[in-house]
Amino acid sequence: MNLFNKAVVSTMPMIPKALVGKIASRYVAGEQLSDAIAEVQNINKEGGLATLDILGEYSKNEAQAEQTVNSYKEILTTISDEGVDSNISIKPTALGLKMGYDVCFRNVRSIVKEAAMLNNFVRIDMEDHGCTDDTLRMYYELRKEFDNVGVVIQAYLRRTIRDVQWLKKMKANLRLCKGIYSEPRMIAYKDRDIIIQNYAFLLEELLQAGSYVGIATHCEETVWHGLKIVKQLGLNRDQYEFQMLLGVDPELRQIIMNEGHRLRVYVPYGEDWYPYSTRRLKENPQLAGSVAKDFLKLS
Ligand SMILES: Cc1cc2nc3c(=O)[nH]c(=O)nc-3n(C[C@H](O)[C@H](O)[C@H](O)COP(=O)(O)OP(=O)(O)OC[C@H]3O[C@@H](n4cnc5c(N)ncnc54)[C@H](O)[C@@H]3O)c2cc1C
């Protein structure tokens, strides 16, 4: 960790909430669903697609998880009523995973079923390594019943090369990302170059086997690998998409769309933006450093 990034992380608790809010406002659509829908409308106008995520800590009881289910159903109805082009991204821990697999499965299934009725799609985000088995199992079980569901895999995990073998056989709909959590070396690659190479390797395996992949990255090198693989395999634009987080490198977003590729923006919103923003920054010191540098440039 370089000194600047280390300093940003260690001073984080002293940064006033309003200042974190100013930094976060670029990356979070707002507190209300109406804010998020307005953001999606802008993205759609630019030619992009979106996926909506409600920010929040993990649910501490079943009632809280159920409330999150209802909020996601409200989003699905609003997407349909407003006619915007967006799906949703959900987190198993917000839907009761800490209370047990069965509670979470019931909640996720209920959202996926509602989405199917509204002709929409649900992406299950991937959290830290303690959630990986349950999240993949949930995806496997749901696919027996539904087509409108996808999951996320992380290129930094050593296990992903094995997971890809069964996922590609079932032509899984996947988002491939590098992984944002701080994981031990025993289970995750720590070297950036290896993660980039592993990402390209996994992407090629999946696209070649006919999986639909959301190529989620802001890294020019990984985007280049994606473009190269898409070209070499002669894929049509409806066989993959690029994905980026709201507020991160809008110029790269525009470059990718200008070249005719589908691009989906991950749009987080909600009242719980503060713990989300600080945790993301703490979990990724490099990111904390770049966000702070951006802020210094802006102010
Ligand atoms: C659409 C989408 C969905 C994701 N879903 C998940 C998930 O379900 N589970 C999971 O573990 N991870 C998820 N991630 C995060 C991902 O795993 C990486 O941690 C993150 O994208 C950084 O990797 P990178 O490929 O963008 O390359 P990097 O080389 O790490 O980043 C490239 C550039 O983008 C900037 N950048 C990257 N991320 C951010 C950010 N959040 N805010 C500000 N600047 C940033 C960096 O400063 C750097 O300049 C998702 C990412 C995207 C784009």
Side-chain angles (χ1 to χ4, degrees):
M1 196 190 305
N2 78 30
L3 278 179
F4 179 73
N5 297 342
K6 208 170 167 180
V8 173
V9 171
S10 58
T11 53
M12 192 84 68
M14 288 183 281
I15 301 176
K17 192 172 175 185
L19 190 55
V20 177
K22 200 171 169 199
I23 300 169
S25 66
R26 202 173 131 183
Y27 305 100
V28 175
E31 294 199 347
Q32 307 302 324
L33 177 55
S34 53
D35 300 327
I37 293 292
E39 189 67 59
V40 173
Q41 282 165 337
N42 287 337
I43 291 163
N44 287 169
K45 253 186 237 151
E46 285 173 17
L49 312 163
T51 186
L52 281 167
D53 162 66
I54 307 174
L55 293 172
E57 296 296 275
Y58 71 87
S59 291
K60 294 178 184 67
N61 52 54
E62 290 196 29
Q64 203 182 343
E66 210 173 301
Q67 205 179 326
T68 307
V69 173
N70 292 334
S71 300
Y72 271 111
K73 288 184 178 173
E74 188 194 349
I75 300 183
L76 287 166
T77 308
T78 309
I79 288 173
S80 170
D81 291 349
E82 297 288 331
V84 290
D85 201 336
S86 179
N87 59 35
I88 58 170
S89 287
I90 61 173
K91 286 194 171 48
T93 59
L95 293 160
L97 191 59
K98 302 270 176 191
M99 269 89 68
Y101 176 85
D102 292 342
V103 173
C104 184
F105 182 80
R106 196 177 60 231
N107 287 335
V108 172
R109 185 184 174 280
S110 159
I111 294 173
V112 174
K113 191 174 172 202
E114 180 83 3
M117 287 191 306
L118 291 165
N119 215 6
N120 209 323
F121 180 87
V122 180
R123 172 78 56 198
I124 309 173
D125 285 349
M126 187 58 79
E127 299 171 89
D128 62 72
H129 77 272
C131 303
T132 314
D133 277 337
D134 281 342
T135 305
L136 290 177
R137 177 180 161 207
M138 204 174 305
Y139 174 67
Y140 182 81
E141 293 297 324
L142 287 164
R143 272 295 302 276
K144 292 180 184 166
E145 235 187 310
F146 302 100
D147 284 332
N148 64 316
V149 59
V151 73
V152 178
I153 53 171
Q154 298 155 321
Y156 68 5
L157 288 188
R158 294 174 190 269
R159 61 174 285 165
T160 302
I161 196 163
R162 294 189 300 278
D163 290 327
V164 154
Q165 303 315 311
W166 65 267
L167 286 163
K168 72 181 187 186
K169 274 192 202 131
M170 64 190 283
K171 293 209 185 336
N173 185 317
L174 298 166
R175 174 194 300 149
L176 178 60
C177 67
K178 287 178 184 158
I180 191 125
Y181 300 88
S182 177
E183 301 287 17
R185 183 178 168 219
M186 284 301 283
I187 61 159
Y189 298 111
K190 305 304 265 182
D191 183 285
R192 188 170 184 273
D193 288 342
I194 294 179
I195 297 170
I196 288 176
Q197 292 301 319
N198 197 41
Y199 190 112
F201 175 71
L202 299 168
L203 181 61
E204 186 160 7
E205 289 255 300
L206 290 165
L207 289 175
Q208 205 158 32
S211 273
Y212 184 93
V213 185
I215 307 168
T217 185
H218 322 92
C219 159
E220 282 265 10
E221 193 176 343
T222 301
V223 168
W224 178 79
H225 279 299
L227 294 172
K228 179 175 160 222
I229 294 165
V230 161
K231 177 86 180 135
Q232 280 172 342
L233 296 175
L235 300 182
N236 300 322
R237 75 192 290 273
D238 58 356
Q239 292 175 286
Y240 65 93
E241 66 188 38
F242 284 89
Q243 298 186 351
M244 293 176 68
L245 299 174
L246 181 68
V248 182
D249 204 344
E251 190 175 30
L252 181 59
R253 184 164 118 189
Q254 202 56 55
I255 291 168
I256 293 171
M257 287 195 293
N258 288 351
E259 289 180 12
H261 305 282
R262 282 153 58 91
L263 188 134
R264 189 174 303 276
V265 182
Y266 188 102
V267 180
Y269 82 96
E271 288 169 11
D272 272 341
W273 57 267
Y274 181 74
Y276 169 86
S277 308
T278 52
R279 200 176 62 235
R280 282 285 89 84
L281 296 175
K282 279 181 200 157
E283 275 164 0
N284 190 342
Q286 201 186 338
L287 183 58
S290 49
V291 168
K293 277 179 199 151
D294 269 359
F295 176 70
L296 293 173
K297 263 190 255 158
L298 288 175
S299 51

